[in-house]
Amino acid sequence: MVKGRLGVENHDHMTPDELWNELAVRVRKYHPSDDISQIEKAYLMAKAAHEGQARKSGEPYIIHPLCVAIILADLELDKESIIAGLLHDVVEDTKMTSAEVAEAFGAEVAVIVDGVTKLTQLNYSTDKLDKQAENLRKMFLAMAKDIRVILVKLADRLHNMRTLQYMKPEKQKEKARETLDIYAPIAQRLGISKIKVELDDLSLKYLEPEVFKTLEKEISDKAEKNQQFIDDVVQEVKSQMEESGIACQVNGRVKHLFSIYRKMVNQDKTLDQIYDLFAVRIIVETVKDCYAALGVIHEMFTPIPGRFKDYIAMPKENMYQSLHTTLIFPGGRPFEIQIRTAEMHRIAEYGIAAHWKYKEASDGKKTGPEQEEEKLNWLRQILEWQQDMSDNKEFISLIKSDLNLFNDNVYCFSPAGDVVTLPANSTPIDFAYMIHSAVGNTMVGARINGKLVPIETPLKNGDRVEIITSQNSKGPSRDWLKVVKSPQARNRINQWFRQQLKEDNISKGKSLLDAYAKSHSKQLSVYMKPEFIQGVCNKYGFKDWDSLMAAVGHGGLREGQIMNKLVDLYNKAHENDLTDEDVLENVAADGRRQKKQENAGGIVVYGVHDVAVRFSKCCNPIPGDEIVGFVTRGRGITIHTTDCVNIINLPESERARLIEAEWHVDEEEGQAYSATIKVYARNRTGLLVDISRVFTERKIDMSAVNVRTSRQGTATVEVSFEIHSREELAAIMDRVRQVNGVEDIERSRG
């Protein structure tokens, strides 16, 4: 492994071919095979594909993928990762396709390149919660497909952050915030401190430029004095270790800027008040030597009580292992010492990348990453959450709290002696759900170290926790959500309540459907055949009948819609079996259905005649929307979309006033309908002109335009106009979405 920063320290005056030579040298340093012809082929293809393209800095674009590949080589990744690093932008920015990548380098490389391309296209704007949640979901799915996708993306992000000075200030802050919230924590989760530390510092540089400069200057001003102190400690430790017969390497450093800044903020202290500003690292040969060195150190210096952590016996979730102790140097100056083996140090620096090593046999075959499974437990947990959760706000909250490793962990023991790692200040409730959701859901009490305690008692390191369960338990309490600290516990408690609520809605939905069938003289069992049930589920996009019934139960769909669809499917399946009486009844039914108000704007309302029909202002339905009529006192029938919030939240006592309705539009008549869209975009000169041009090109008059801008520079443009169909609206929205600076667009419901 290379020492210091990953990648080339300064490539400002290096040509692409010089960087290629540097990459070749670094790959050959660690790779068991001297054959790098495929990597060279990827370089030449990328160079040709990016020919004529330049970065914001003005340098040839190929410089960027070369630097990304060098970072990956310094992580000692396999050839496929290096090739993907060189090609990671070709599918998005050039004419080259995924198929061409697969043909030239195989499906494995194509999957990585495709995954990185999709991550590059994501926008992690915090303005639109649903979009952010969807982007995060896509990211974790891409990571699960091949973890090398995120390793290439982290290298890509690292080099982009190093060259962020060429971007506009608002873009710098946006990228820095995204890096600090998403990418740096993922690097930490994967144990790659080499990348995590630099991403943190670079994010701070652009998010808090004045703080960064001040902190950098204060440390620089004291650099000589600090270095002298570190040299004194290192020399004294080395001498003592030699006397004790412990072979080791000793080095020291000032902690990185973001780590110092975070402590200053969290502890509300100045730089002079941060007492563990320095860290000395002792790297020994064996685990036994780690503890022997610790004994020597504690004899040499006075340890600060409560500042010792054994991450060897109890590794962090990202498999980090080391002994940490904070001591007082003669003269009263505090410093931290970390003691670990060389293998522990390699894993601490390079995380999962340290395990993405492989052995090439004489036949050229290679083995996969070692110990990868342990490091990806958290990713599997996130994928499990994705399946369980539809609430985007809650999903994002869980993801960010799970990625955030700033808080220390607490280590507890089960009665069998198994170690359970939890966030600091966790309770027995967190412990129970970490064991299994069934344990948490049936929990009625807890013992800590053999003593009965309230279940909200904070746990401490070394506590032995026993969970008391009962099958008579009524399940978790909503109050538990106020005290739990772990994302797992919070998710599983919410999941329990969602399931309970779903069962109530399923029961209610089935009752409503049954009552509707009886009121219309239908025998429901006749229509409840598997093929008809599946057809209705497909029609409304539900995976099973229970989910569909739950939607009916909470008002998302009407029971009449479901019954009519079942009847339609039944009739289509039995067209050849109809009797003369059935035919006459269907003709009569069709006649009843065609009774409509002539001035209803293309609406057929079943079973009514000569009644005023109007469109609601709360949801502005247009042709193509699923609709329903609502009988209003003295005002005829109001047409709503079936997903209108007012219909969904309609009290049970009012549901009898809902009546079936459907579109019956003659396109030749050119009937127009009101529609409103909201456009969210980065504010810039000419934005409104470009959006207006979309409507002008389509000869659509805008009836109203409203613009407002947030302090963060996000413009919200609300446009009202008349439209003829849902398809026409979708086409306009797609075109507006292509306007430069537009980040999101949605249809306004009123």
Side-chain angles (χ1 to χ4, degrees):
M1 288 290 181
V2 296
K3 305 297 181 185
R5 196 177 82 160
L6 293 172
V8 179
E9 287 296 323
N10 189 346
H11 69 266
D12 289 349
H13 304 293
M14 296 182 71
T15 67
D17 286 344
E18 287 172 335
L19 280 171
W20 157 247
N21 291 332
E22 182 68 28
L23 173 61
V25 168
R26 298 196 185 206
V27 172
R28 287 193 172 105
K29 276 184 181 178
Y30 71 88
H31 204 280
S33 169
D34 286 335
D35 182 11
I36 60 169
S37 58
Q38 285 293 93
I39 299 178
E40 184 173 18
K41 177 182 175 183
Y43 162 59
L44 295 174
M45 284 182 67
K47 186 178 181 182
H50 290 296
E51 186 68 38
Q53 295 180 353
R55 302 195 80 212
K56 297 283 186 183
S57 61
E59 65 188 7
Y61 195 90
I62 189 62
I63 296 289
H64 170 63
L66 276 167
C67 288
V68 169
I70 290 172
I71 291 171
L72 295 169
D74 284 350
L75 292 172
E76 297 190 2
L77 294 185
D78 57 5
K79 286 181 181 177
E80 287 76 11
S81 299
I82 307 296
I83 293 170
L86 288 167
L87 299 172
H88 77 272
D89 278 335
V90 294
V91 173
E92 182 184 16
D93 295 339
T94 76
K95 295 179 180 179
M96 191 179 294
T97 65
S98 292
E100 290 173 324
V101 173
E103 184 179 353
F105 301 102
E108 198 174 348
V109 170
V111 166
I112 301 173
V113 171
D114 184 59
V116 176
T117 300
K118 287 174 180 174
L119 294 190
T120 302
Q121 293 168 348
L122 301 186
N123 173 15
Y124 296 90
S125 168
T126 56
D127 293 330
K128 296 299 292 173
L129 188 69
D130 290 348
K131 193 70 175 175
Q132 187 184 27
E134 186 61 27
N135 288 336
L136 287 173
R137 292 177 193 272
K138 289 177 182 176
M139 171 185 282
F140 291 115
L141 286 171
M143 289 168 62
K145 198 169 186 179
D146 193 322
I147 195 65
R148 289 173 292 182
V149 169
I150 199 63
L151 296 179
V152 175
K153 184 59 185 175
L154 286 172
D156 172 53
R157 177 49 58 105
L158 179 57
H159 186 251
N160 281 335
M161 288 298 292
R162 287 174 179 172
T163 55
L164 203 58
Q165 69 268 29
Y166 300 107
M167 305 289 283
K168 293 180 180 179
E170 60 271 18
K171 199 69 175 177
Q172 290 175 347
K173 287 190 179 292
E174 179 186 324
K175 290 293 181 186
R177 173 51 59 191
E178 177 184 303
T179 299
L180 196 61
D181 285 350
I182 304 295
Y183 289 103
I186 286 177
Q188 173 80 335
R189 263 298 191 180
L190 296 175
I192 314 173
S193 68
K194 273 285 185 186
I195 289 181
K196 194 267 183 191
V197 164
E198 192 174 351
L199 288 179
D200 279 341
D201 282 355
L202 289 170
S203 298
L204 180 63
K205 179 178 179 180
Y206 292 101
L207 287 173
E208 300 286 352
E210 294 305 317
V211 171
F212 183 88
K213 289 177 184 176
T214 301
L215 197 54
E216 192 175 42
K217 185 177 185 305
E218 285 184 27
I219 291 176
S220 177
D221 289 345
K222 300 176 182 177
E224 187 175 340
K225 183 180 178 182
N226 290 339
Q227 191 58 51
Q228 184 59 54
F229 171 74
I230 291 171
D231 291 343
D232 290 345
V233 175
V234 168
Q235 189 56 48
E236 194 164 339
V237 169
K238 275 184 179 178
S239 300
Q240 201 65 39
M241 291 297 159
E242 288 175 5
E243 287 185 21
S244 302
I246 301 173
C248 66
Q249 298 176 21
V250 185
N251 53 63
R253 61 181 173 82
V254 175
K255 292 188 175 180
H256 67 285
L257 292 179
F258 184 77
S259 172
I260 296 169
Y261 168 72
R262 194 177 66 226
K263 287 185 178 181
M264 291 170 62
V265 171
N266 291 346
Q267 300 173 19
D268 194 23
K269 293 180 178 178
T270 64
L271 182 64
D272 293 333
Q273 294 171 318
I274 302 295
Y275 61 77
D276 53 351
L277 195 62
F278 310 98
V280 172
R281 189 171 293 140
I282 303 174
I283 300 176
V284 297
E285 295 177 354
T286 67
V287 173
K288 183 179 178 181
D289 288 342
C290 289
Y291 291 99
L294 178 68
V296 172
I297 291 300
H298 279 188
E299 281 186 8
M300 291 175 61
F301 307 109
T302 303
I304 297 177
R307 296 291 301 175
F308 169 66
K309 295 173 184 175
D310 187 344
Y311 293 121
I312 293 179
M314 297 180 184
K316 290 186 177 182
E317 287 184 330
N318 62 2
M319 304 306 293
Y320 173 89
Q321 287 184 290
S322 190
L323 298 177
H324 289 198
T325 184
T326 305
L327 311 141
I328 299 293
F329 195 74
R333 201 166 187 183
F335 66 100
E336 182 184 70
I337 280 189
Q338 301 168 359
I339 308 171
R340 61 182 72 150
T341 66
E343 178 63 13
M344 290 174 191
H345 180 60
R346 192 172 69 91
I347 293 172
E349 295 281 283
Y350 300 98
I352 198 169
H355 295 305
W356 204 274
K357 294 176 70 68
Y358 50 89
K359 302 164 186 172
E360 282 198 2
S362 57
D363 59 1
K365 293 182 179 179
K366 63 184 183 183
T367 62
E370 306 161 359
Q371 300 179 25
E372 178 193 358
E373 290 298 311
E374 294 175 343
K375 281 183 175 284
L376 296 186
N377 282 334
W378 67 278
L379 179 55
R380 282 192 292 276
Q381 177 68 67
I382 287 173
L383 294 177
E384 187 180 308
W385 292 344
Q386 290 199 158
Q387 295 173 353
D388 293 341
M389 302 181 67
S390 57
D391 186 325
N392 286 331
K393 183 177 181 181
E394 186 181 0
F395 176 70
I396 290 176
S397 176
L398 276 168
I399 293 300
K400 290 188 175 179
S401 62
D402 190 66
L403 286 177
N404 186 352
L405 297 184
F406 294 165
N407 294 327
D408 290 331
N409 291 329
V410 59
Y411 300 90
C412 301
F413 295 92
S414 71
D418 297 323
V419 178
V420 177
T421 306
L422 294 164
N425 299 314
S426 288
T427 67
I429 305 172
D430 295 282
F431 187 97
Y433 279 102
M434 188 64 73
I435 300 301
H436 197 278
S437 57
V439 175
N441 291 339
T442 57
M443 176 182 181
V444 293
R447 292 188 180 91
I448 297 179
N449 303 323
K451 181 181 177 182
L452 276 170
V453 297
I455 58 175
E456 65 272 12
T457 304
L459 297 174
K460 299 176 183 177
N461 277 328
D463 279 346
R464 184 173 176 273
V465 184
E466 179 185 354
I467 303 300
I468 303 169
T469 62
S470 171
Q471 294 307 313
N472 296 323
S473 166
K474 295 181 180 180
S477 163
R478 288 197 181 274
D479 290 337
W480 291 7
L481 293 169
K482 299 175 183 177
V483 297
V484 294
K485 301 298 180 184
S486 64
Q488 290 91 334
R490 187 174 304 278
N491 178 48
R492 287 169 181 172
I493 292 169
N494 281 323
Q495 187 180 341
W496 187 88
F497 282 109
R498 282 196 300 271
Q499 186 61 35
Q500 293 299 112
L501 192 60
K502 182 179 180 181
E503 289 174 0
D504 291 343
N505 283 328
I506 290 172
S507 177
K508 183 179 178 182
K510 288 179 177 178
S511 296
L512 288 169
L513 183 62
D514 187 54
Y516 183 91
K518 289 177 180 177
S519 69
H520 287 72
S521 303
K522 300 287 186 184
Q523 188 176 346
L524 186 59
S525 59
V526 172
Y527 306 97
M528 292 294 288
K529 305 301 181 189
E531 59 271 27
F532 306 148
I533 289 173
Q534 189 60 50
V536 178
C537 289
N538 292 342
K539 161 75 173 174
Y540 293 105
F542 288 89
K543 62 181 180 180
D544 55 44
W545 185 251
D546 280 351
S547 298
L548 185 67
M549 288 296 96
V552 173
H554 70 64
L557 287 172
R558 290 176 51 254
E559 58 273 22
Q561 292 175 274
I562 307 305
M563 191 68 229
N564 288 334
K565 187 62 180 175
L566 284 171
V567 172
D568 287 345
L569 291 170
Y570 175 88
N571 288 340
K572 286 179 182 177
H574 295 81
E575 282 178 343
N576 297 329
D577 303 334
L578 294 178
T579 65
D580 291 342
E581 289 77 8
D582 292 328
V583 172
L584 289 172
E585 170 58 26
N586 287 340
V587 169
D590 287 341
R592 289 194 298 271
R593 286 175 181 167
Q594 293 308 314
K595 291 180 180 178
K596 63 177 181 178
Q597 170 66 26
E598 292 300 324
N599 297 320
I603 297 292
V604 174
V605 181
Y606 296 160
V608 298
H609 184 62
D610 292 335
V611 176
V613 176
R614 63 189 181 87
F615 296 106
S616 71
K617 297 296 183 183
C618 55
C619 54
N620 289 328
I622 60 175
D625 289 338
E626 291 274 359
I627 55 174
V628 64
F630 181 73
V631 180
T632 56
R633 294 181 177 88
R635 298 176 64 189
I637 295 172
T638 305
I639 301 299
H640 295 258
T641 59
T642 55
D643 61 354
C644 174
V645 66
N646 289 327
I647 295 299
I648 291 174
N649 296 323
L650 196 66
E652 184 64 31
S653 59
E654 299 287 298
R655 288 180 66 86
R657 294 164 61 188
L658 293 175
I659 189 167
E660 292 177 58
E662 67 179 29
W663 294 101
H664 194 266
V665 178
D666 185 346
E667 294 184 4
E668 293 183 2
E669 293 180 0
Q671 177 73 38
Y673 303 86
S674 296
T676 301
I677 60 173
K678 284 184 180 179
V679 182
Y680 303 92
R682 297 189 303 275
N683 194 25
R684 63 174 176 82
T685 303
L687 174 65
L688 190 56
V689 173
D690 290 344
I691 292 174
S692 300
R693 188 177 293 117
V694 174
F695 294 88
T696 303
E697 290 170 353
R698 284 163 174 73
K699 299 180 180 179
I700 295 174
D701 292 331
M702 297 184 292
S703 55
V705 179
N706 180 42
V707 183
R708 59 183 183 275
T709 306
S710 70
R711 291 181 180 178
Q712 290 74 35
T714 298
T716 303
V717 184
E718 193 169 29
V719 186
S720 297
F721 50 95
E722 290 194 334
I723 206 74
H724 298 91
S725 69
R726 192 172 184 176
E727 290 73 21
E728 188 177 359
L729 176 62
I732 290 172
M733 291 174 70
D734 286 342
R735 179 64 188 88
V736 172
R737 192 174 279 110
Q738 296 170 22
V739 172
N740 182 32
V742 171
E743 296 180 340
D744 202 4
I745 183 172
E746 65 180 22
R747 178 179 166 191
S748 178
R749 294 295 187 174

